[in-house]
Amino acid sequence: MGKETKEGLYQGIIEKDEKGNFFCGPYLLDYKMVTANFQLGDKISIKKLITNPSDISFEKYPKKSVKFTFANGDEPTLD
């Protein structure tokens, strides 16, 4: 489960819902960014949120992250 941190707005694990959306906690993640640079289960730190512009997923995810990084620097860590 993610939590608010000094390093970012929210920290948690990348997950995927039944509709194929990537999310971290209550926040939708940018699909192209996840598929290009991350994998399911990576621990990330969300740096910037916007209002979700998609009518399809807005009800479930009212906020979308457009900037996020690995939680512990440039490389994922094993817990």
Side-chain angles (χ1 to χ4, degrees):
M1 193 71 181
K3 60 182 177 182
E4 289 185 18
T5 67
K6 291 179 182 177
E7 294 80 23
L9 301 172
Y10 190 87
Q11 198 172 80
I13 304 296
I14 295 176
E15 299 178 71
K16 193 174 190 179
D17 69 16
E18 65 281 351
K19 293 183 179 179
N21 296 308
F22 291 106
F23 68 96
C24 179
Y27 305 114
L28 182 68
L29 300 176
D30 184 81
Y31 187 89
K32 288 181 182 177
M33 192 170 168
V34 173
T35 57
N37 302 300
F38 299 89
Q39 296 180 9
L40 284 176
D42 284 347
K43 188 174 182 180
I44 61 166
S45 182
I46 293 174
K47 305 295 185 184
K48 183 176 181 182
L49 293 167
I50 62 168
T51 299
N52 183 356
S54 172
D55 292 337
I56 297 169
S57 60
F58 180 83
E59 189 173 315
K60 188 170 184 178
Y61 307 106
K63 295 286 186 183
K64 177 181 180 179
S65 176
V66 291
K67 184 176 180 185
F68 50 95
T69 60
F70 287 111
N72 296 332
D74 296 328
E75 297 295 320
T77 59
L78 298 175
D79 289 334

